Amino acid sequence: MIEIIDQENVCLENQLSLKLDYLNHPDISGNKFRKLKYNLLEAKKLQKSILLSFGGAFSNHIAAVAAAGHRFGFKTIGVIRGEELADKILENPTLSYAKKQGMQFHFVSRKVFREKATEAFTEDLKSRFGDFHLIPEGGTNALAVKGCEEILTEKDHGFDYICCPVGTGGTISGLINSSLPQQKILGFPALKGDFLQEEISKFANNSNWELITDYHFGGYAKINSQLISFINSFKANYQIPLDPVYTGKMMFGIYDLLKQGYFPEDSKILAIHTGGLQGIDGMNKKLRHKKLPIIK
Ligand SMILES: *Cc1c(COP(=O)(O)O)cnc(C)c1O
């Protein structure tokens, strides 16, 4: 029922290859599709017809839940952080896309959003929307990690380093669990903070990993003109788009580490392109507003 397209890795330069996992489905892209796969199968098994999840105004996860619902026959509810967004749907590329995919929104204040995991809030949502299958913000749970364990295949056994961007830690956990003991998994957090170590340890059953915390560019969704120009020249060189929140920062970090001689000369590195391209339009709106160069 749920088919994931495996792409050939592309070689960027002699040591470094890229797995184009953003092309794993025509409309649900990258790691968010991986994370949804077993959650969708579980919802079907439980005969739930509604998926409900949470996210911010530019969330890749919200876009993916909406598209997956549309594609696989679920109604979708998006609980969105920020009441003020209710009358800005059409100005927001992510929300208007999700709406087109049939998602129904429930906008809540930042305070209510912070308390979204409470039983009282879940009960309130059930009385509004009926029985639903709940998927956490960012999509990370044990079934999501299981889906991410399928990103690496036998064809990837020859790589010494596997690199991925990190948000909640679900994706890297799956990579860790399906890696070989002699491989090293490097995570590039897209945000500040040291809670990730603990999150990843909850799901990961190996210790062959490390977080590289120098490339968050000041925090989640924070960018500067250096990063934008890197993303634009990467696309000009390889015809491969990168997103500004996750994959752009990771690739910037990998090239910087290569320059510093971090990787042994004969080692082979595989970076995972986890997707997130739907976020470019939203970011460009902000950049135009600030009169900064945009992502091409
Ligand atoms: C959400 C996301 C991540 C982070 O994944 P986690 O499992 O939350 O760590 C990485 N890349 C992209 C493109 C994403 O959308």
Side-chain angles (χ1 to χ4, degrees):
M1 164 202 162
I2 296 182
E3 246 194 85
I4 297 194
I5 305 160
D6 266 321
Q7 299 288 339
E8 292 291 325
N9 298 327
V10 297
C11 185
L12 301 177
E13 37 187 280
N14 47 10
Q15 279 189 282
L16 175 61
S17 297
L18 184 64
K19 183 180 284 296
L20 306 181
D21 208 42
Y22 72 105
L23 298 173
N24 64 14
H25 189 277
D27 37 57
I28 321 160
S29 154
N31 70 334
K32 296 304 185 286
F33 183 39
R34 299 278 183 181
K35 293 168 85 169
L36 282 171
K37 176 180 168 184
Y38 289 102
N39 280 288
L40 296 169
L41 292 171
E42 178 75 2
K44 279 266 188 254
K45 197 168 88 190
L46 297 172
Q47 299 191 314
K48 305 271 177 136
S49 59
I50 305 176
L51 305 174
L52 179 141
S53 197
F54 309 90
F58 301 98
S59 165
N60 293 331
H61 170 65
I62 284 293
V65 170
H70 183 72
R71 173 70 183 76
F72 298 111
F74 297 94
K75 238 185 104 175
T76 53
I77 315 281
V79 179
I80 308 295
R81 178 177 56 234
E83 287 166 308
E84 75 284 358
L85 293 162
D87 37 55
K88 291 189 187 142
I89 296 172
L90 294 179
E91 295 162 39
N92 178 300
T94 301
L95 296 179
S96 36
Y97 171 78
K99 192 179 153 128
K100 262 194 230 128
Q101 302 291 314
M103 182 174 263
Q104 184 184 343
F105 298 123
H106 181 52
F107 294 95
V108 300
S109 68
R110 282 163 178 75
K111 178 168 180 294
V112 170
F113 194 85
R114 268 195 299 277
E115 288 154 16
K116 63 187 173 300
T118 62
E119 211 169 299
F121 188 51
T122 307
E123 283 312 308
D124 174 60
L125 292 172
K126 290 222 156 122
S127 70
R128 284 169 198 271
F129 302 113
D131 193 26
F132 51 73
H133 189 67
L134 187 146
I135 301 173
E137 183 184 17
T140 291
N141 56 18
L143 291 173
V145 172
K146 180 176 168 181
C148 292
E149 289 171 6
E150 297 174 350
I151 296 173
L152 293 177
T153 70
E154 273 178 26
K155 285 185 283 187
D156 305 319
H157 284 177
F159 290 98
D160 305 291
Y161 292 90
I162 312 289
C163 300
C164 75
V166 178
T168 61
T171 305
I172 191 173
S173 297
L175 293 170
I176 293 165
N177 292 350
S178 60
S179 65
L180 300 173
Q182 68 271 26
Q183 291 180 315
K184 178 127 195 214
I185 316 300
L186 300 180
F188 293 74
L191 66 175
K192 279 199 255 185
D194 40 31
F195 60 97
L196 278 170
Q197 206 81 21
E198 203 179 318
E199 276 303 299
I200 295 167
S201 307
K202 272 191 217 161
F203 292 111
N205 55 27
N206 252 318
S207 54
N208 56 340
W209 57 280
E210 189 180 324
L211 295 181
I212 309 283
T213 55
D214 303 325
Y215 301 102
H216 56 64
F217 285 80
Y220 187 73
K222 298 261 171 32
I223 64 172
N224 62 22
S225 45
Q226 194 187 18
L227 182 63
I228 297 167
S229 94
F230 171 79
I231 289 172
N232 286 338
S233 43
F234 187 90
K235 185 163 173 200
N237 286 342
Y238 302 112
Q239 286 73 52
I240 298 172
L242 298 172
D243 85 293
V245 179
Y246 293 103
T247 57
K249 292 180 181 181
M250 168 188 68
M251 290 311 296
F252 184 99
I254 293 172
Y255 278 91
D256 198 46
L257 292 177
L258 276 166
K259 234 186 293 163
Q260 292 172 25
Y262 174 94
F263 299 104
E265 240 167 60
D266 54 352
S267 62
K268 294 182 87 188
I269 308 150
L270 178 66
I272 313 295
H273 192 318
T274 46
L277 302 177
Q278 71 85 30
I280 292 175
D281 286 348
M283 184 62 83
N284 277 342
K285 278 202 122 172
K286 285 193 247 179
L287 292 170
R288 278 196 194 93
H289 198 73
K290 293 189 196 161
K291 306 222 175 356
L292 288 171
I294 62 159
I295 299 159
K296 297 200 184 93

